[in-house]
Amino acid sequence: MKLGASVYLHVPIEEQLPYLEKINEYGFQTLFTSLHIPEDDVSLYAERLKRLGRFAEEKGMALVCDVSPQSMAHLQLTWENASLLRDWGVTGLRIDYGMEAEIVADISRSLAIIVKASTVKAEDIAALKQAGVSFDHIEGWHNFYPRPETGLGRENFNNMNERLQQAGFKRMAFIPGDGKRGPLYEGLPTLEAHRRWSPFAAWLDLYSHNAVDTVIVGDPQLNESSLQQLAVFQQQGVILLRAKAYVDVPPIIDKHCNRPDEARDVIRSVQSRGMAQQTKQKVKPNQTIERLVGSITMDNERYGRYQGEIQLTKRDLQADAKVNVIGRVIEEDRPLLNYLKANQPFCIKWI
């Protein structure tokens, strides 16, 4: 599944280059920018788009622009000479519905065509085929939804994806980033369920369900921690959980693995009890408090042979005098608990 990032032209491209260089090093393959955001100064679009295009060409990245007749006019271009954007480094256009199929077919000879997943209809697809559009160069992309409560529900999302896949389209969805885009600063996801999730949790959800072919971060920034989570999973298959410690010196184990006999209520670290037996340290009762979902616990000496076992709670559990709560997974990463199935390796990063 390809990864992409959004770039917004209200900020000079030179100021964004360090971030763009970093995500390129992390394997991002696609850049997306919108040319019709009402808050932006459109007089700056053309030069900044050309600069972004040069960067994309240098790095071998795709560059897709969200365009409309009005935004094309700001670039002093028309649909008839849209192919000139190829010279600027643009590789694809995300177009509004209502365009004549013949015009789309003409553009598709030089640029990839992106249609909006939420608005493309069966008759539109038939018209595009009739006009000779190559479906090797056409994709269906979802929108992002800046306003809370307006993102897609799962069932609607799945239905759209099924329709696109049956038509032969590759599919894309947005996930939220770490640095939120204004003016609302509420995240830019496709799925409403992802709005408060960490970027990695939202990406893993789409990846695990094989929902789309490309995932693009809608917001303008990912931090180093999110990039690390993506890299660790893609390279090693390990889910990295970020957590706050409740004790002064939490136990350090390089990698955990959930037991093959997956428990209903908790994720059980295979490695933890073995390490406790090796060190032969007594685990004194401490912080034996209520175990809210995402709590990271260690069985204390009152649990006998279970002493030292580390668990993560998948649901709220009552306090137990035999179980110390040593920390808790941060809220944005708690959706990742759903993906810690049997034999799934994971690690904990204390922040």
Side-chain angles (χ1 to χ4, degrees):
M1 192 163 68
K2 294 181 181 178
L3 267 170
S6 299
V7 184
Y8 297 100
L9 302 181
H10 67 288
V11 177
I13 299 304
E14 296 300 327
E15 295 180 17
Q16 302 186 65
L17 286 180
Y19 174 68
L20 297 177
E21 292 277 3
K22 179 179 290 187
I23 62 171
N24 178 250
E25 292 172 1
Y26 272 92
F28 282 59
Q29 299 170 274
T30 301
L31 298 176
F32 166 75
T33 192
S34 178
L35 298 181
H36 54 92
I37 295 177
E39 301 89 35
D40 289 352
D41 182 352
V42 297
S43 66
L44 302 173
Y45 279 176
E47 197 52 46
R48 290 181 180 176
L49 179 59
K50 290 177 182 178
R51 180 65 188 94
L52 181 60
R54 289 199 300 273
F55 174 85
E57 280 190 321
E58 290 167 5
K59 301 299 182 180
M61 302 177 78
L63 173 57
V64 174
C65 298
D66 198 5
V67 294
S68 65
Q70 185 179 12
S71 58
M72 289 291 283
H74 293 320
L75 301 176
Q76 298 184 333
L77 295 172
T78 66
W79 294 127
E80 284 69 25
N81 61 6
S83 61
L84 293 175
L85 286 170
R86 186 78 203 193
D87 298 331
W88 297 13
V90 176
T91 60
L93 295 183
R94 187 170 186 250
I95 58 175
D96 271 325
Y97 60 89
M99 280 184 62
E100 294 181 14
E102 290 72 19
I103 295 176
V104 176
D106 186 55
I107 297 172
S108 72
R109 295 185 180 95
S110 54
L111 294 163
I113 296 296
I114 316 298
V115 299
K116 293 186 177 181
S118 59
T119 57
V120 66
K121 301 179 178 65
E123 53 265 35
D124 300 323
I125 296 171
L128 292 173
K129 288 183 177 180
Q130 181 66 28
V133 175
S134 172
F135 274 51
D136 292 334
H137 301 285
I138 192 164
E139 299 184 21
W141 284 22
H142 291 277
N143 292 325
F144 55 59
Y145 298 91
R147 188 196 184 286
E149 302 155 0
T150 63
L152 298 182
R154 184 81 59 172
E155 183 178 358
N156 190 22
F157 176 69
N158 290 341
N159 290 339
M160 288 184 190
N161 285 336
E162 185 176 353
R163 185 174 72 246
L164 291 169
Q165 190 172 35
Q166 288 175 351
F169 289 33
K170 292 183 178 178
R171 303 146 300 159
M172 187 285 298
F174 289 96
I175 59 172
D178 294 303
K180 309 300 186 187
R181 177 176 167 82
L184 297 182
Y185 302 99
E186 294 282 1
L188 297 176
T190 291
L191 281 170
E192 186 60 36
H194 289 165
R195 192 171 300 277
R196 307 300 176 204
W197 291 21
S198 66
F200 174 61
W203 175 87
L204 186 60
D205 181 41
L206 295 173
Y207 173 85
S208 298
H209 291 94
N210 195 28
V212 291
D213 304 284
T214 301
V215 171
I216 292 181
V217 182
D219 290 294
Q221 284 287 328
L222 285 180
N223 61 34
E224 188 68 39
S225 183
S226 290
L227 290 168
Q228 185 182 16
Q229 285 181 300
L230 285 163
V232 167
F233 184 83
Q234 291 175 326
Q235 296 167 13
Q236 304 173 35
V238 175
I239 293 176
L240 191 158
L241 299 156
R242 296 170 297 178
K244 297 285 188 181
Y246 290 177
V247 295
D248 291 336
V249 185
I252 302 299
I253 297 178
D254 289 338
K255 188 166 71 173
H256 302 266
C257 191
N258 193 14
R259 285 174 56 117
D261 48 344
E262 181 182 351
R264 184 194 68 173
D265 295 338
V266 296
I267 295 146
R268 305 177 67 188
S269 167
V270 172
Q271 290 78 8
S272 56
R273 275 168 64 192
M275 177 166 285
Q277 291 168 2
Q278 289 176 20
T279 59
K280 296 182 180 179
Q281 291 181 337
K282 293 291 184 182
V283 180
K284 297 297 181 182
N286 181 27
Q287 291 280 346
T288 57
I289 58 177
E290 182 184 8
R291 294 165 288 164
L292 301 175
V293 62
S295 292
I296 303 170
T297 69
M298 177 178 281
D299 293 347
N300 62 47
E301 61 183 1
R302 293 170 177 165
Y303 236 135
R305 64 188 182 90
Y306 290 98
Q307 177 180 218
E309 177 168 311
I310 292 174
Q311 299 179 353
L312 283 69
T313 59
K314 296 193 283 189
R315 62 185 68 195
D316 292 345
L317 299 173
Q318 64 187 11
D320 186 333
K322 303 184 291 299
V323 180
N324 297 351
V325 179
I326 62 175
R328 193 180 184 195
V329 176
I330 63 171
E331 182 178 1
E332 306 95 297
D333 279 1
R334 285 175 207 154
L336 293 171
L337 300 171
N338 296 322
Y339 301 96
L340 292 175
K341 303 299 183 183
N343 297 310
Q344 172 62 50
F346 66 97
C347 56
I348 299 168
K349 181 179 180 181
W350 301 102
I351 61 173

